[in-house]
Amino acid sequence: MPDFIGYWSKLPRKKKIYAAAGGGFLLLILTAGYFIGRSTPGIETAARQTAELADNIRRHYSQKPGYWGLNTASVLKDGIAPQGMTTEGKLLNALGLPVSVGAGFEGGIIMPGIRSFDIAFDGLSAAECRELAVYSFSDRQNLGLISVSIKNNSRTETFSWGGENPLPVNPDRAKALCRKGGGVLWRFE
């Protein structure tokens, strides 16, 4: 095994300074890369909750002709929400924010004959909005995903399979739309 201490002690002072500075710089780069690459805490869990909630809704309504009557209140009343999403009679995601289910960001009641439903998160930070908008569900989940809408303080933009704004959502587009925070809505069939 090489004698690093002996080697270090024989180095000239100037080389020791360069080596220490280089090591510190490398450590700084690695630390910054770790934090930049990390997703916002709770994003992965919130996205998984969305997928599980969509599956639970589909299962609950599988013997019915549509999603008639579905909204946030019915999800709570019928016990459709995944474990950990209900707190004090409210439907909350892993980020601690309210979840709307039904029609639109407001979670309106689904009317007869409607064969799709929305799950929406509002009040997201810029990073949360961006990461959730581009989140890649499993292939099975993507089969039931119709569209993703991103809402900011001035407008709402919808992305759909093969549409003018195609899915999956382009990360640069999500960054631009979410730069001041906002909301994300997933429409499932």
Side-chain angles (χ1 to χ4, degrees), residues 64-125:
K64 300 174 182 173
Y67 297 103
W68 184 17
L70 174 66
N71 69 355
T72 308
S74 70
V75 166
L76 292 166
K77 182 178 85 62
D78 296 337
I80 299 171
Q83 187 174 353
M85 279 191 82
T86 56
T87 304
E88 298 175 7
K90 296 178 182 174
L91 190 60
L92 302 175
N93 60 30
L95 303 169
L97 297 170
V99 177
S100 297
V101 177
F105 276 97
E106 303 78 33
I109 295 175
I110 300 287
M111 292 295 145
I114 305 293
R115 296 183 181 271
S116 63
F117 61 90
D118 301 330
I119 298 175
F121 295 176
D122 209 354
L124 299 168
S125 71

Side-chain angles (χ1 to χ4, degrees), residues 44 47 131-139 141-142 145 161 168 186:
E44 187 73 30
E131 289 182 50
L132 284 165
V134 301
Y135 185 82
S136 181
F137 290 108
S138 71
D139 289 342
Q141 276 298 324
N142 278 338
L145 182 65
W161 299 110
W186 297 270

Side-chain angles (χ1 to χ4, degrees), residues 139-159:
D139 289 342
R140 185 179 60 78
Q141 276 298 324
N142 278 338
L143 287 174
L145 182 65
I146 298 171
S147 64
V148 175
S149 297
I150 302 172
K151 176 180 89 166
N152 60 30
N153 58 356
S154 62
R155 70 175 200 258
T156 300
E157 198 162 312
T158 300
F159 299 80

Side-chain angles (χ1 to χ4, degrees), residues 26 34 51 60 74 181:
L26 180 61
Y34 171 77
H60 184 79
S74 70

